Amino acid sequence: MTALVLAELSDGAVAPATLSAVTAAAQLGGPVHVLVAGAQGAADEAAKIAGVEKVLHAGDAAYADMLAENVAPLVAGLMAKDGVGYDAFLAPATTTGKNVAPRVAALLDVMQVSDILSVEGPKSFTRPIYAGNAIATVESSDAKLVITVRTTAFDKAAAEGGSASVEAVSGPGDAGLSSFVGLEAVKSDRPELTSAGTIVSGGRALKDSETFAEVITPLADKLGAAIGASRAAVDAGYVPNDYQVGQTGKIVAPELYVAVGISGAIQHLAGMKDSKVIVAINKDPDAPIFQVADLGLVADLFEAVPEMTAKL
Amino acid sequence: MKILVPVKRVIDYNVKPRVKPDGSGVDIANVKMSMNPFDEIAVEEAVRLKEAGKADEVIAVSIGAPKSKDVLRTALAMGADRAILIQTEAEVEPLAVAKILKAVAAEENPQLIILGKQAIDDDSNQTGQMLAALIDRPQGTFASKVEIDGDHVTVTREVDDGLETVKLALPAIVTADLRLNEPRYASLPNIMKAKKKPMDEKTPEDYGVDITARLKTLKVAEPPVRQAGEKVGSVDELVAKLKALGVNA
């Protein structure tokens, strides 16, 4: 079986999420090809990923903004091509992958397997359901597989060491249904949330955006950490919504996750409970976060966090 | 224009799900069920568009057990005009749901279909995208803002990098993210009025859709349980333990 992986690009470069999807694809046991919709530079970069046999480069401007209406028919066409088609399509479970992959699946008349955690057999996979409160093992009966990959569940393939060939591909082009207007990107010098080794996350208890920044930022700086937040903190406007960790936000699994003033609702835990070490600072000793925290400190965060920052 | 809003009856989001001891699934007998939270947001948005004069009819549709009538009544109480229940005891996968919705859309001819971005039970995040593909219309997924302008809809989407804006030709499919709006509570008079609003009942067979599952669930298990942690008494102790774990700063 040959697998096709959709490359996630960020600022024109191959994003780390792609490397996790390549690892998952390789576990299916066959050759791995990567589809890059973007600049030639990104295709050359993808060709260096260890374990990749071939890179398909779709340079048409219609694909540059990853509009699902344009990209999905391209992928479905490549998948279904007589003789040289693919048996599996994998995309990282990023917002791009989640947007495009189900559209591909429907065009191929197959059920997608979303957000896989592991490959159990040629057609069986584990995936979280009910906000990660249960893990289902599912087996597909479809002729072709369409999969999105939970990136924190798979090691990243080495970004260097491969020497894949690059082949130009084209598809139906612009479907004329949609157009890209703009992206209001949140600029940050910090590590990217989903790939950070350490995350300091704040909740509603931080009071407002100034206090959030005053308390959380110095600790995050000290630890070289990315900053995350609970839904309550995002809804209250303390931080932008792409900071949100949880079932409806980002799923993270860093080495160290520091939850400050976060109670630990099911939906938040769904996004971070696979972190290696969880530290919780909360003044409520009964907060559910303490049930998953390796180290818990029952204290007023406004005193404890500055003290911790000073002592680290 | 007409707006179609598919809604799903799911386990209430505050309930901690229990895995059945035989590993066959999650126990939903005698558990509180509600409308999927993202679908409430979808209904709210449709009703707001109607209130703003952009839409003249809002139709709620649900596929599932007879009790899905409850969530349809909720949608009617929130302001939907009529409802369609497509009744089946089977668990229907997103692909089959999308096919049924395609048939409903062909009958009703809505200009806009607003779904939730995902259901909190299967966490698939597929149905809206699949429906868009099947009817060959554009999709505005993970929407946090929806503006109708003539024959187009401009959708602001919550993406990993921030907020992306796309312009879609109508008819279009939109899936609601959490921050699209704050759903209203149905008032008692509206709940009473909702009981008189029309509700059609159908089955998947009426639409000729095969709902046989493509994915077989082999097993459902509890997630690995984390090692019980410890509470420390002071910041000094916390810092010392972190340093012992190799945290450098």
Side-chain angles (χ1 to χ4, degrees):
Chain A
M1 106 159 20
T2 311
L4 180 65
V5 173
L6 180 68
E8 170 86 16
L9 304 182
S10 172
D11 281 334
V14 174
T18 313
L19 305 174
S20 301
V22 165
T23 300
Q27 289 181 10
L28 293 173
V32 177
H33 294 183
V34 173
L35 172 64
V36 175
Q40 181 70 40
D44 294 340
E45 225 182 298
K48 294 190 192 125
I49 301 171
V52 173
E53 189 189 72
K54 194 198 272 185
V55 171
L56 307 183
H57 177 230
D60 190 329
Y63 307 123
D65 298 316
M66 288 305 252
L67 292 167
E69 296 79 5
N70 298 347
V71 175
L74 166 72
V75 175
L78 294 169
M79 292 285 292
K81 217 169 184 178
D82 280 340
V84 287
Y86 292 90
D87 308 299
F89 172 67
L90 297 93
T94 55
T95 47
T96 311
K98 289 174 184 175
N99 189 42
V100 172
R103 195 161 176 123
V104 172
L107 292 176
L108 297 170
D109 191 30
V110 307
M111 243 311 278
Q112 173 179 298
V113 189
S114 292
D115 222 9
I116 63 162
L117 299 172
S118 68
V119 176
E120 298 292 306
K123 291 212 158 188
S124 57
F125 309 91
T126 61
R127 57 175 306 265
I129 54 175
Y130 292 90
N133 283 293
I135 308 296
T137 307
V138 296
E139 186 178 56
S140 170
S141 61
D142 284 316
K144 289 181 191 288
L145 293 167
V146 174
I147 293 166
T148 60
V149 177
R150 176 165 292 196
T151 55
T152 56
F154 291 87
D155 292 335
K156 290 176 179 52
E160 299 282 338
S163 55
S165 58
V166 179
E167 184 185 300
V169 292
S170 58
D174 191 346
L177 295 170
S178 58
S179 56
F180 175 82
V181 178
L183 173 69
E184 195 185 308
V186 175
K187 291 274 169 248
S188 173
D189 301 329
R190 296 188 176 280
E192 204 264 318
L193 196 53
T194 50
S195 57
T198 306
I199 294 172
V200 178
S201 222
R204 199 202 309 263
L206 272 310
K207 286 202 175 90
D208 54 43
S209 59
E210 288 76 30
T211 321
F212 191 102
E214 273 165 32
V215 176
I216 299 294
T217 312
L219 179 59
D221 286 344
K222 201 83 180 252
L223 292 167
I227 294 179
S230 69
R231 181 186 165 191
V234 172
D235 283 350
Y238 303 174
V239 289
N241 57 40
D242 50 343
Y243 282 49
Q244 187 184 324
V245 172
Q247 183 184 20
T248 56
K250 289 180 179 157
I251 313 286
V252 300
E255 293 289 313
L256 174 64
Y257 188 90
V258 185
V260 178
I262 291 177
S263 65
I266 303 176
Q267 293 80 6
H268 186 74
L269 299 183
M272 45 64 80
K273 69 181 175 184
D274 294 322
S275 306
K276 197 144 180 236
V277 175
I278 298 173
V279 172
I281 301 172
N282 203 303
K283 67 178 178 192
D284 175 8
D286 299 321
I289 190 79
F290 288 120
Q291 291 162 21
V292 300
D294 300 277
L295 293 169
L297 176 65
V298 180
D300 180 353
L301 68 93
F302 297 105
E303 288 166 18
V305 175
E307 188 185 344
M308 184 178 166
T309 308
K311 286 177 175 166
L312 270 166
Chain B
M1 68 156 77
K2 228 188 236 188
I3 303 180
L4 184 70
V5 189
V7 296
K8 185 176 185 183
R9 179 175 176 265
V10 298
I11 190 167
D12 189 88
Y13 75 99
N14 282 311
V15 174
K16 186 170 161 53
R18 301 270 169 222
V19 173
K20 287 187 202 163
D22 66 358
S24 64
V26 165
D27 195 356
I28 52 167
N30 307 315
V31 172
K32 187 181 179 214
M33 305 289 277
S34 303
M35 190 191 299
N36 180 43
F38 292 101
D39 302 347
E40 286 185 2
I41 296 168
V43 173
E44 176 66 31
E45 194 65 17
V47 173
R48 286 188 192 188
L49 287 168
K50 191 184 165 192
E51 288 168 348
K54 300 275 187 187
D56 31 54
E57 191 180 26
V58 176
I59 307 156
V61 54
S62 192
I63 301 165
K67 286 207 167 156
S68 300
K69 269 182 198 166
D70 299 350
V71 299
L72 287 172
R73 291 280 171 218
T74 305
L76 294 170
M78 288 173 73
D81 298 290
R82 61 188 170 90
I84 305 168
L85 171 65
I86 296 148
Q87 201 173 308
T88 170
E89 290 294 343
E91 261 185 61
V92 191
E93 290 175 340
L95 181 63
V97 170
K99 287 178 180 177
I100 296 171
L101 293 176
K102 178 189 177 181
V104 175
E107 264 178 11
E108 298 287 351
N109 210 11
Q111 285 290 99
L112 195 59
I113 306 175
I114 312 180
L115 304 88
K117 79 162 177 178
Q118 76 191 61
I120 60 162
D121 52 1
D122 65 10
D123 282 333
S124 288
N125 196 333
Q126 300 176 9
T127 307
Q129 295 89 315
M130 287 181 154
L131 174 60
L134 295 178
I135 62 177
D136 196 23
R137 295 311 308 165
Q139 66 192 47
T141 51
F142 328 141
S144 62
K145 197 172 169 195
V146 174
E147 280 173 297
I148 293 173
D149 177 21
D151 57 354
H152 283 81
V153 57
T154 302
V155 179
T156 303
R157 307 178 52 231
E158 295 201 7
V159 295
D160 290 335
D161 302 339
L163 296 170
E164 180 187 280
T165 306
V166 290
K167 192 174 171 191
L168 314 174
L170 291 171
I173 281 83
V174 167
T175 74
D177 212 323
L178 273 178
R179 270 163 290 276
L180 181 57
N181 59 49
E182 186 86 32
R184 70 193 65 189
Y185 289 102
S187 66
L188 187 59
N190 285 342
I191 292 170
M192 300 311 289
K193 272 185 224 157
K195 291 183 178 166
K196 295 202 179 81
K197 289 185 180 176
M199 188 181 307
D200 279 351
E201 290 189 37
K202 305 255 185 170
T203 65
E205 293 74 38
D206 292 340
Y207 297 102
V209 175
D210 175 11
I211 58 166
T212 310
R214 306 286 188 87
L215 295 182
K216 189 173 155 198
T217 300
L218 304 177
K219 178 175 80 174
V220 176
E222 296 270 1
V225 181
R226 288 191 71 91
Q227 289 282 323
E230 57 175 320
K231 281 189 185 158
V232 295
S234 67
V235 172
D236 285 324
E237 204 184 323
L238 178 61
V239 170
K241 296 236 164 160
L242 277 177
K243 286 192 171 157
L245 285 167
V247 173
N248 300 309

